[in-house]
């Protein structure tokens, strides 16, 4: 069967990653979390005190950043490695969430990440989620999904995810972070988050994860049969 690229873009905490992971697993595709890459860069910048306004410092730092994904044998899920160290847990923490939109708005950072993402998707058979996958990274993706959801539902879901990891984060703090990121992600100069003209909108407000996955799988199958 022919392999396609599935691009899933949308606002933070709409269910992109959870959906993308399951869709990839059902199709036997590779899942790539492009947001994790920007989070890993943010972690490196934080750890190495990189100034976000110093272009040469940023360029040098980017040369020293190696991001890879490895499947966890227990969970079967991809985990993020920064220069050989597993940073999956660290990059999800609130101090990274509060900084990542700023870091991901830097052109040099985006250029470096987009080049890597294109390499990872060259052979097709990938499901990649992010903000600019259907508009910039894979403009010719066979299936483009744009996910939206009510902000309070998004906040509650994110809070539940933190609770699962035994982190208690105030809902107000999460909502504030989501609103700030929505604003930064949609208004930045470099590849702002926007719906691709040929994207299918999936509103997850009143949907369960299973329903979201089913909808995307059906869309993907119709594209696989078409192509
Ligand atoms: O998907 P996420 O919330 O983990 O992404 C973290 C941040 O990274 C998000 O606020 C914007 C940025 N990002 C981006 O600019 N482009 C992408 N393709 C993916 C994420």
């Amino acid at each position: 069967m022919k392999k396609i690229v599935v691009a899933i873009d949308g606002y933070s905490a709409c269910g992109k990653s959870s959906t993308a992971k399951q869709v990839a697993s059902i199709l036997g595709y590779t899942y790539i979390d492009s947001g994790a890459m920007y989070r890993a860069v943010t972690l490196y910048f934080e750890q190495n005190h990189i100034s976000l306004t110093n272009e040469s410092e940023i360029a040098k730092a980017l040369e020293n950043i190696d991001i890879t994904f490895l499947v966890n044998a227990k969970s079967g899920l991809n985990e993020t490695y920064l220069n050989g160290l597993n940073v999956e847990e660290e990059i999800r923490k609130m101090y990274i969430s509060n900084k990542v939109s700023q870091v991901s708005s830097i052109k040099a950072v985006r250029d470096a990440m987009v080049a890597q993402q294109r390499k990872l998707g060259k052979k097709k058979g990938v499901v990649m989620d992010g903000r600019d996958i259907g508009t910039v990274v894979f403009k010719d993706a066979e299936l483009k999904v744009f996910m939206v959801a009510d902000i309070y539902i998004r906040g509650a879901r994110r809070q539940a995810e933190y609770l699962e990891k035994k982190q208690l984060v105030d809902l107000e703090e999460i909502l504030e972070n989501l609103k700030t990121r929505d604003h930064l992600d949609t208004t930045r100069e470099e590849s702002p988050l926007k719906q691709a003209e040929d994207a299918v909108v999936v509103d997850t407000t009143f949907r369960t994860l299973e329903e979201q996955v089913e909808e995307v799988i059906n869309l993907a199958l119709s594209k696989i049969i078409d192509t």
Side-chain angles (χ1 to χ4, degrees):
M1 215 186 300
K2 204 162 175 188
K3 293 198 165 179
I4 65 167
V5 170
V6 180
I8 303 183
D9 289 306
Y11 298 92
S12 308
C14 284
K16 298 187 303 293
S17 304
S18 319
T19 307
K21 268 179 214 162
Q22 291 204 16
V23 167
S25 153
I26 292 168
L27 294 175
Y29 283 16
T30 306
Y31 164 60
I32 297 155
D33 177 353
S34 71
M37 299 170 77
Y38 291 99
R39 287 175 179 270
V41 173
T42 305
L43 176 62
Y44 184 93
F45 282 13
E46 282 287 293
Q47 287 174 336
N48 294 280
H49 311 288
I50 305 297
S51 154
L52 301 188
T53 51
N54 187 330
E55 285 182 18
S56 64
E57 222 176 83
I58 290 172
K60 212 164 149 205
L62 285 169
E63 279 176 23
N64 293 324
I65 293 178
D66 177 44
I67 300 165
T68 45
F69 294 104
L70 273 182
V71 178
N72 177 313
K74 256 194 200 163
S75 66
L77 295 174
N78 256 350
E79 292 189 334
T80 317
Y81 285 72
L82 170 63
N83 294 335
L85 274 185
N86 187 329
V87 292
E88 186 57 39
E89 212 178 298
E90 198 63 25
I91 59 170
R92 308 289 164 192
K93 291 189 177 162
M94 210 58 198
Y95 78 100
I96 298 293
S97 296
N98 284 333
K99 213 54 193 287
V100 64
S101 284
Q102 244 177 301
V103 172
S104 63
S105 67
I106 299 168
K107 186 176 182 325
V109 172
R110 300 208 71 80
D111 288 348
M113 293 306 111
V114 169
Q116 274 205 41
Q117 289 153 10
R118 286 190 177 141
K119 263 194 212 161
L120 292 167
K122 219 167 75 183
K123 291 188 186 150
K124 304 222 174 210
V126 293
V127 182
M128 194 176 290
D129 75 326
R131 305 294 186 290
D132 60 341
I133 311 305
T135 51
V136 175
V137 182
F138 297 119
K139 277 192 192 146
D140 55 357
E142 289 83 355
L143 174 61
K144 298 179 186 178
V145 171
F146 192 78
M147 278 198 172
V148 297
D150 174 84
I151 183 102
Y152 292 98
I153 295 283
R154 292 162 57 200
R157 285 178 186 160
R158 195 39 56 96
Q159 191 184 41
E161 278 172 22
Y162 278 118
L163 272 178
E164 259 179 43
K165 293 178 198 159
K166 309 225 174 344
Q167 294 173 43
L168 181 61
V169 187
D170 186 54
L171 184 61
E172 279 309 313
E173 189 187 347
I174 293 173
L175 289 175
E176 212 39 60
N177 171 263
L178 291 179
K179 284 179 195 163
T180 308
R181 282 209 284 153
D182 283 357
H183 178 72
L184 290 172
D185 293 347
T186 51
T187 57
R188 69 179 176 220
E189 240 174 74
E190 293 299 324
S191 322
L193 166 67
K194 61 173 187 239
Q195 186 190 329
E197 271 176 26
D198 49 350
V200 181
V201 176
V202 173
D203 186 337
T204 70
T205 307
F206 300 112
R207 289 211 168 101
T208 63
L209 179 59
E210 290 71 28
E211 290 167 339
Q212 287 157 218
V213 171
E214 195 182 332
E215 180 162 3
V216 179
I217 285 288
N218 287 336
L219 290 167
L221 289 178
S222 67
K223 296 287 178 185
I224 291 168
I225 291 161
D226 265 8
T227 48

